[in-house]
């Protein structure tokens, strides 16, 4: 029947035809078993008899058929005695296929769509996974298509999809997604250091992330011509002319990028010895200052006022009287200023005894550096005190 004019059978507005043939229904009866039932929406005899087919071969009669889950066979049913109106076959998914659009190079920032499809009846449902290293695949989507509206370098990797219905499940082969992108900003490392002695060697290494892999070129600041090419740049027999700022350029077919400047400097070979000499001299000066300070503190300690004797007189072998209130004292080449309020002049003390004490002191100028320094300071102060003593005792001679 048709609604086309001039044909044998026509109708208005046309004829609607619906087919109510046999269908196989799938129901899970256990964890690993399925039950297939032959069903028809047509009015049949009270007791219709069904015949089951496996891969188009007659295997059984009856209204239902048990099969194992995951079977790869095709099952269909028909009425006994009828060979032209059997049900469509039911079967699990075949291995899914994956298509990529666009199929050309995938550039970072572009749109990419992955499509999974498999032949199955009933229709299969789909799941997308990404393989990350050695871990289990990561679930991404449960749609037939996986869409990247702006694909990134991190999206590179291996993808697969599964197709599943009540009769089974199949997984596609992995498809590799390789996203192209230009070099990131390179980083530069230097070995052994960015400051060296003339004549040494220095190695600069440039590294970046890029796909495809980057090529490297080395430049010195304010120079147009490159100094070297390759990821590693080695300068042997470094001189002052090599000092300056260096950078590397990484480039591939997607773009290029420059590193930040790295300053390389040099110093003369003798610089290290000079530094050591300076350090030794500085340490010696510090030690000398400490020795002088210690001697000064010792002299100051011994210059504290002595206790007055009970008989209100200073001992003859300790002091030279200088007036009624103070005496300049010498004891074993170490001087003190002793206040002897109320003491009487002692004429038995003479300048000769001062020189005798000084001679005794000079005899001790020997030994190590510290002892010699102490003796030198003692003699210096003794000469000053001797002069003062001579002036102080003049009125008593």
């Amino acid at each position: 029947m048709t609604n086309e004019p001039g044909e044998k059978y026509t109708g208005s507005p046309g004829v609607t035809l619906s087919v109510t043939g046999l269908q196989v229904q799938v129901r899970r009866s256990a964890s690993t078993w399925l039950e297939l039932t032959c069903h028809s929406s047509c009015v049949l005899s009270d007791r219709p008899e069904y015949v089951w087919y496996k891969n188009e071969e007659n295997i059984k009669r009856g209204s239902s058929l048990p099969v194992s889950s995951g079977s790869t066979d095709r099952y269909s049913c028909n009425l006994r005695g009828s060979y032209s109106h059997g049900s469509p076959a039911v079967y699990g998914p075949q291995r899914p296929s994956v298509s990529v659009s666009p199929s050309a190079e995938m550039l970072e920032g572009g749109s990419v769509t992955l499509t999974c499809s498999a032949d199955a009846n009933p229709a299969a449902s789909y799941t997308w996974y990404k393989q990350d290293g050695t871990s289990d695949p990561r679930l991404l989507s449960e749609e037939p298509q996986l869409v990247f509206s702006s694909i990134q370098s991190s999206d590179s990797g291996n993808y697969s999809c599964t197709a599943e219905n009540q009769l089974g499940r199949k997984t596609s082969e992995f498809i590799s997604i390789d996203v192209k992108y230009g070099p990131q900003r390179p980083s530069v490392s230097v070995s052994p250091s960015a400051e060296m002695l003339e004549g040494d060697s220095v190695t600069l290494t440039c590294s970046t992330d890029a796909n495809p892999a980057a090529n490297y070129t080395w430049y010195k600041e304010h120079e147009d011509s490159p100094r070297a090419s390759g990821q590693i740049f080695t300068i042997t027999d470094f001189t002052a002319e090599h000092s300056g700022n260096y950078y590397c350029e990484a480039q591939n077919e997607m773009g290029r990028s420059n590193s930040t400047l790295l300053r390389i400097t040099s110093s003369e070979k003798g610089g290290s010895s000079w530094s050591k000499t300076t350090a030794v001299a500085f340490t010696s000066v510090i030690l000398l200052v400490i020795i002088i300070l210690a001697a000064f503190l010792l002299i100051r300690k011994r210059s504290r006022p002595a206790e007055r004797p009970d008989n209100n007189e200073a001992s003859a072998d300790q002091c030279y009287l200088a007036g009624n209130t103070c005496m300049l004292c010498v004891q074993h080449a170490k001087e003190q200023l002793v206040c002897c309020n109320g003491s009487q002049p002692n004429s038995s003390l003479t300048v000769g005894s001062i020189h005798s004490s000084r001679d005794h002191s000079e005899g001790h100028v020997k030994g190590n550096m510290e002892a010699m320094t102490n003796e030198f300071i003692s003699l210096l102060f003794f000469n000053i005190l001797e002069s003062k003593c001579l002036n102080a005792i003049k009125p008593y001679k």
Side-chain angles (χ1 to χ4, degrees):
M1 288 185 176
T2 179
N3 59 354
E4 293 293 332
E7 297 296 333
K8 186 174 182 181
Y9 301 100
T10 62
S12 181
V15 178
T16 301
L17 179 65
S18 62
V19 179
T20 56
L22 293 173
Q23 299 288 331
V24 176
Q25 296 179 339
V26 182
R27 183 176 67 87
R28 184 172 293 278
S29 61
S31 60
T32 58
W33 286 94
L34 302 172
E35 184 179 36
L36 307 183
T37 303
C38 196
H39 175 75
S40 174
S41 59
C42 297
V43 178
L44 303 174
S45 61
D46 292 339
R47 299 185 63 177
E49 189 174 358
Y50 298 101
V51 179
W52 287 95
Y53 296 88
K54 176 182 177 180
N55 299 326
E56 299 182 354
E57 291 184 4
N58 188 329
I59 58 171
K60 181 185 176 183
R61 295 179 183 179
S63 59
S64 63
L65 176 69
V67 297
S68 63
S69 177
S71 173
T72 59
D73 298 313
R74 293 170 177 257
Y75 298 93
S76 62
C77 67
N78 203 347
L79 289 170
R80 182 183 179 187
S82 174
Y83 300 100
S84 59
H85 301 290
S87 71
V90 295
Y91 50 93
Q94 306 301 301
R95 181 180 286 274
S97 62
V98 176
S99 61
V100 183
S101 177
S103 58
E105 284 187 337
M106 287 173 253
L107 306 182
E108 190 172 43
S111 177
V112 176
T113 300
L114 308 183
T115 302
C116 185
S117 59
D119 181 23
N121 187 31
S125 59
Y126 300 95
T127 307
W128 282 98
Y129 297 90
K130 182 181 181 183
Q131 182 72 44
D132 291 326
T134 58
S135 62
D136 294 334
R138 177 166 52 95
L139 189 150
L140 298 176
S141 172
E142 294 182 341
E143 298 292 336
Q145 290 186 327
L146 181 62
V147 179
F148 299 93
S149 57
S150 178
I151 198 164
Q152 301 299 310
S153 59
S154 58
D155 294 322
S156 295
N158 296 319
Y159 293 80
S160 65
C161 70
T162 62
E164 182 177 13
N165 65 8
Q166 297 95 318
L167 289 150
R169 169 178 173 158
K170 291 289 184 179
T171 301
S172 72
E173 295 181 349
F174 282 107
I175 182 171
S176 179
I177 299 299
D178 188 26
V179 181
K180 308 290 186 181
Y181 54 96
Q184 309 298 308
R185 177 175 284 260
S187 62
V188 176
S189 61
V190 56
S191 177
S193 68
E195 184 174 352
M196 65 214 66
L197 301 178
E198 290 188 5
D200 288 348
S201 295
V202 61
T203 298
L204 309 181
T205 303
C206 187
S207 57
T208 187
D209 181 25
N211 187 26
N215 298 315
Y216 300 93
T217 307
W218 290 93
Y219 293 90
K220 188 177 182 182
E221 189 181 23
H222 306 310
E223 292 184 2
D224 295 330
S225 300
R227 284 296 185 104
S229 60
Q231 188 172 8
I232 298 176
F233 174 31
T234 300
I235 304 174
T236 58
D237 194 16
F238 198 93
T239 64
E241 288 74 17
H242 289 115
S243 297
N245 295 321
Y246 290 82
Y247 67 94
C248 70
E249 180 186 76
Q251 69 275 349
N252 65 7
E253 60 192 56
M254 309 303 302
R256 63 184 61 215
S257 180
N258 293 340
S259 71
T260 56
L261 294 175
L262 175 67
R263 182 161 186 81
I264 306 294
T265 59
S266 69
S267 58
E268 295 182 357
K269 274 288 187 181
S272 178
S273 300
W274 183 86
S275 298
K276 292 180 180 179
T277 303
T278 302
V280 171
F282 181 76
T283 303
S284 300
V285 170
I286 294 298
L287 290 176
L288 182 59
V289 171
I290 293 174
I291 292 172
I292 294 174
L293 181 60
F296 173 76
L297 293 176
L298 179 62
I299 293 172
R300 185 174 180 182
K301 179 179 178 180
R302 294 185 177 182
S303 298
R304 292 176 180 173
E307 293 183 1
R308 294 177 58 187
D310 292 339
N311 59 1
N312 209 27
E313 288 185 359
S315 173
D317 62 349
Q318 291 180 339
C319 301
Y320 292 103
L321 187 62
N324 291 329
T325 59
C326 294
M327 291 182 297
L328 291 173
C329 301
V330 179
Q331 182 178 9
H332 301 295
K334 297 178 182 178
E335 295 75 28
Q336 290 183 331
L337 180 64
V338 181
C339 293
C340 305
N341 294 330
S343 299
Q344 296 299 320
N346 192 334
S347 59
S348 64
L349 299 179
T350 65
V351 178
S353 63
I354 294 177
H355 285 285
S356 175
S357 296
R358 182 179 64 181
D359 294 339
H360 176 74
S361 173
E362 291 175 345
H364 287 79
V365 181
K366 59 183 179 179
N368 56 32
M369 178 64 71
E370 182 178 0
M372 292 176 67
T373 302
N374 290 336
E375 294 292 344
F376 173 77
I377 295 172
S378 298
L379 289 173
L380 177 64
F381 277 88
F382 184 86
N383 288 329
I384 296 174
L385 292 174
E386 179 184 32
S387 176
K388 292 185 176 181
C389 282
L390 291 174
N391 292 330
I393 63 176
K394 283 180 181 179
Y396 302 99
K397 288 186 177 181

